[in-house]
Amino acid sequence: HAVIVIMGVEALKLHPTLANTIAFFCANIASFFMNAHITFKVSPSLARYTRFLVASLATLILTITLSTLCEWMKWHYLIGLGLIILTGPILTFVLQKKWTFSKGTH
């Protein structure tokens, strides 16, 4: 993600938001294929990628929600980061294992 953002901004003169958006999708696609082949040992498919992307976006929504909640509560941002680190990977793994990469899905 970071390499694509830096290359996009520095070499291609893209706006940082656009560079981050492109980087998100590149990282998301790479993560999908690595998870399919290495972690869950299933065949990748468009249907699985669609579920993977939705699960990734659900985790993004959780991240934004927790960050906003902590800001609203006037808590230090590291508390929000800690909550995100504790909950985000668990949500992501459960969604990916039970929904995206379950053996019955294609």
Side-chain angles (χ1 to χ4, degrees):
H1 184 105
V3 170
I4 292 170
V5 171
I6 293 167
M7 287 175 44
V9 171
E10 299 297 331
L12 301 175
K13 306 300 183 207
L14 298 177
H15 188 278
T17 302
L18 177 58
N20 268 293
T21 302
I22 292 167
F24 169 82
F25 283 104
C26 290
N28 189 264
I29 291 166
S31 179
F32 168 71
F33 281 104
M34 287 187 282
N35 273 289
H37 291 298
I38 298 167
T39 305
F40 297 105
K41 297 180 181 12
V42 298
S43 298
S45 68
L46 182 57
R48 278 197 174 111
Y49 177 69
T50 301
R51 288 190 293 274
F52 186 87
L53 180 59
V54 169
S56 298
L57 294 173
T59 304
L60 174 61
I61 290 167
L62 173 70
T63 298
I64 292 167
T65 301
L66 288 174
S67 181
T68 301
L69 174 66
C70 290
E71 186 177 327
W72 180 73
M73 298 290 289
K74 303 209 184 306
W75 293 347
H76 194 276
Y77 80 94
L78 288 176
I79 294 171
L81 181 59
L83 290 171
I84 291 162
I85 289 169
L86 289 172
T87 59
I90 294 167
L91 174 65
T92 299
F93 183 77
V94 169
L95 285 173
Q96 302 303 9
K97 181 179 172 96
K98 300 290 184 186
W99 187 48
T100 304
F101 294 110
S102 67
K103 297 292 182 183
T105 60
H106 296 29

